[in-house]
Amino acid sequence: MAFTHLHVHTEYSLLDGMTRISQAPEYAKSMGMNALAITDHGVMFGVVDFYKACKAAGIRPVIGCEVYTAPRTMYMKDPEKDRHNGHLILLAENQKGYSNLVKIDSEAFMDGFYFKPRVDKELLRKYSEGIICLSGCLAGNVQHRLVIGDYDGAKKEALELREIFGENNFFLEVQDHGLREDKVVIQGLMKLSE
């Protein structure tokens, strides 16, 4: 089984993505990978070019998005309560998932936009079919709760996401960039996975 990057930001993740769509699939293939994901921050602008570049390189494109989660609902826009957002990785499992991911991203822009395009759990429930969810980076709600020492809150969040996406379509995302917070989060995620 080959390793596959499932959390990748391209040039469409402004100020955060170094990966160039035109180069990433060929590089991934040269490293022995047979698939690669695109998960830009809040946008899906690069998915068509990414799909074509992956097909040309002979690897499987995994279409996704790192969505911003509203602290309350995506319709609430109070600068004191709703400015800071969580992160969540959504990957299309199939054609239905791709269609739902497009709907989620579109509604995040049209109805949830407040500093960034945001989603809420009601929207995720409505369009969860065919989507695989990863708990995200340190800015994910599960990981954030672990960083601040709220294990019960992290567990509650993880269980709710598993309920929304299904037991086989929700995964705890592990990242280790050598940060102090990573160590805390990894320990908490291991405990949560049990």
Side-chain angles (χ1 to χ4, degrees):
M1 179 187 292
F3 175 81
T4 300
H5 281 287
L6 296 177
H7 190 151
V8 179
H9 301 310
T10 74
E11 63 262 37
Y12 288 97
S13 288
L14 298 178
L15 303 178
D16 192 25
M18 274 183 49
T19 305
R20 297 287 174 246
I21 290 173
S22 61
Q23 300 167 353
E26 278 295 336
Y27 182 73
K29 185 173 183 172
S30 77
M31 299 299 290
M33 298 177 201
N34 57 16
L36 183 65
I38 183 172
T39 55
D40 284 316
H41 279 289
V43 301
M44 295 180 64
F45 303 146
V47 300
V48 172
D49 289 340
F50 178 79
Y51 180 87
K52 290 177 181 177
C54 285
K55 289 299 187 180
I59 67 171
R60 180 175 178 249
V62 179
I63 306 300
C65 185
E66 182 167 8
V67 297
Y68 297 105
T69 58
R72 298 183 299 160
T73 77
M74 57 192 259
Y75 302 101
M76 295 179 173
K77 299 173 181 177
D78 180 305
E80 308 247 337
K81 299 176 182 173
D82 300 306
R83 185 173 180 147
H84 300 288
N85 308 292
H87 294 197
L88 204 58
I89 298 293
L90 304 179
L91 304 169
E93 180 179 27
N94 50 36
Q95 186 61 40
K96 179 66 175 179
Y98 175 74
S99 177
N100 281 337
L101 190 56
V102 169
K103 291 173 185 173
I104 289 169
D105 195 49
S106 295
E107 288 193 30
F109 269 99
M110 292 186 306
D111 298 327
F113 198 93
Y114 187 62
F115 292 93
K116 297 176 181 178
R118 306 170 312 146
V119 303
D120 59 21
K121 289 186 180 138
E122 181 181 329
L123 184 67
L124 296 176
R125 274 187 176 78
K126 184 176 178 181
Y127 296 117
S128 65
E129 184 181 346
I131 292 182
I132 295 170
C133 176
L134 310 179
S135 62
C137 57
L138 287 176
N141 293 330
V142 173
Q143 283 80 341
H144 174 71
R145 293 270 174 223
L146 292 171
V147 167
I148 64 172
D150 180 11
Y151 176 81
D152 291 336
K155 183 177 180 180
K156 179 181 177 192
E157 182 73 21
L159 289 171
E160 186 173 11
L161 290 169
R162 185 175 75 174
E163 178 265 318
I164 291 170
F165 293 99
E167 188 171 340
N168 296 321
N169 280 35
F170 173 69
F171 298 90
L172 297 169
E173 183 174 342
V174 177
Q175 294 184 4
D176 189 351
H177 295 104
L179 302 171
R180 178 190 57 77
E181 293 89 351
D182 287 335
K183 290 178 179 28
V184 171
V185 167
I186 290 169
Q187 287 177 344
L189 291 174
M190 290 173 62
K191 184 177 174 184
L192 277 176
S193 72
E194 293 171 7

